Amino acid sequence: MRKYQLLVIAILFGWTVTFTSCNKMYEVETPIVPNAESAEQESSDTIPVEPIDGTVDVLIYIGKTLWIDQDDAENEAEMTKFLLELESIQVEITESKESVKDWMLKTTANGVVNVCILYGVLPSTIYPSGNAQPDGSVAENWIESKDGDTILNQADYFGYNSSEGKANERGAMQNLMDLPEIEINVYEHNVDMFVTAEGSRLAPSMIHFRSDRPFPLDQLGNEWFAEKILASDTGTPQATLADPVIVRDGDRGRLAIVFQTVHKDDPKAEVAAQIITYLLTQ
């Protein structure tokens, strides 16, 4: 009887050791998981480049957004793509900032108008964060060619935020436009924008709304001029502030400010598509 008792004890002891050893092995081999925010940051910054054909007319970057939720930006991008493809305009959507750089290099000075849509964040691959390259960036070379290429920004202040690293704040717009004094008023929100006659004609989806970062028309200089004013603080081209607005650097590239608003339900996709159709078919 004692022999069987000892056998049972030995089996139980062996099972306990094995179980403990398994637990210890699990603890050794399991890596420490970073917090969710760090993991998300790493993931968004390491998205591999997706080769995008240089014949793509419009590229929409949704890798990072501000003043618009990621899901909302994706929905707006998909709607913009759908509306433009009805006009036989080729559109791609990407989360990769490397793909944006690759595409811009392919389409710089290619003899046709191309448009890049951003949602409040400027990819660091085309303009290094913290204004580390004030002159000669990929984005600047792109809009300074005589193609008429256009960066169309929605949601937050154009160029203020970078896809990684230090924010550009006002510097990006100043450097890309070569206008060292230009800046958008960051202390005023909900500025009434009234649709102009040209806005109604060019973009039938335009509505009266309140902009949080309207563009300062009175600060344009050098060869920059307001090519199309779709809505302004007066409802006419004779205005101080505008949004949406297309500004152009002489016969070179353009910037389009289209609904720079804080999480507001504006017809972003519809108006963006109508503006782009104008730019690519005029």
Side-chain angles (χ1 to χ4, degrees):
M1 183 68 178
R2 180 176 177 79
K3 179 174 67 174
Y4 292 115
Q5 290 176 336
L6 291 174
L7 180 60
V8 170
I9 292 172
I11 291 172
L12 289 173
F13 178 78
W15 180 83
T16 302
V17 170
T18 301
F19 178 79
T20 305
S21 300
C22 288
N23 281 350
K24 288 182 178 179
M25 182 65 73
Y26 178 80
E27 293 172 358
V28 170
E29 291 186 352
T30 304
I32 298 174
V33 179
N35 62 59
E37 183 177 352
S38 298
E40 181 180 359
Q41 178 74 24
E42 181 180 356
S43 174
S44 61
D45 286 346
T46 56
I47 296 172
V49 60
E50 308 160 7
I52 297 174
D53 196 282
T55 61
V56 168
D57 301 305
V58 179
L59 183 63
I60 307 176
Y61 173 68
I62 59 169
K64 287 197 176 178
T65 67
L66 277 173
W67 281 9
I68 181 171
D69 293 336
Q70 191 78 30
D71 289 345
D72 291 338
E74 185 173 348
N75 291 336
E76 295 289 351
E78 291 289 353
M79 177 58 72
T80 304
K81 185 176 190 291
F82 171 76
L83 293 171
L84 289 174
E85 288 180 341
L86 291 177
E87 303 295 331
S88 300
I89 294 172
Q90 189 174 353
V91 184
E92 292 290 347
I93 300 171
T94 184
E95 295 185 12
S96 167
K97 61 181 183 286
E98 294 294 341
S99 296
V100 178
K101 176 183 178 181
D102 178 64
W103 176 79
M104 275 197 174
L105 291 173
K106 289 176 181 176
T107 56
T108 299
N110 64 347
V112 298
V113 178
N114 296 103
V115 180
C116 178
I117 299 179
L118 308 175
Y119 293 102
V121 174
L122 185 59
S124 60
T125 51
I126 61 173
Y127 182 86
S129 64
N131 308 302
Q133 188 180 4
D135 291 305
S137 65
V138 171
E140 184 173 16
N141 291 338
W142 193 69
I143 62 171
E144 285 189 349
S145 77
K146 293 191 176 183
D147 295 344
D149 292 333
T150 305
I151 298 177
L152 189 154
N153 185 71
Q154 301 190 315
D156 206 345
Y157 190 136
F158 167 67
Y160 200 96
N161 307 288
S162 180
S163 62
E164 66 175 344
K166 186 178 179 181
N168 305 313
E169 300 186 357
R170 298 166 174 83
M173 190 169 76
Q174 293 169 348
N175 290 331
L176 290 172
M177 299 182 75
D178 290 320
L179 295 175
E181 303 300 323
I182 194 168
E183 61 179 281
I184 292 172
N185 186 348
V186 299
Y187 301 106
E188 190 172 11
H189 292 264
N190 293 316
V191 180
D192 282 299
M193 292 286 112
F194 302 97
V195 183
T196 65
E198 191 164 53
S200 295
R201 179 184 61 81
L202 186 67
S205 297
M206 269 305 305
I207 58 171
H208 165 261
F209 74 106
R210 290 178 175 176
S211 176
D212 297 300
R213 294 292 182 268
F215 186 87
L217 296 173
D218 57 341
Q219 295 181 35
L220 288 171
N222 296 336
E223 295 186 59
W224 285 93
F225 67 98
E227 182 177 7
K228 299 292 178 183
I229 300 173
L230 283 74
S232 71
D233 55 348
T234 63
T236 70
Q238 292 72 42
T240 302
L241 301 171
D243 179 5
V245 62
I246 305 168
V247 295
R248 188 168 188 181
D249 185 12
D251 61 352
R252 292 174 288 276
R254 304 171 170 96
L255 297 179
I257 303 304
V258 184
F259 295 118
Q260 290 194 158
T261 56
V262 184
H263 297 285
K264 292 178 181 176
D265 187 21
D266 310 305
K268 293 181 176 67
E270 293 86 344
V271 172
Q274 289 161 358
I275 288 174
I276 294 168
T277 299
Y278 155 75
L279 291 174
L280 271 60
T281 60
Q282 63 174 320

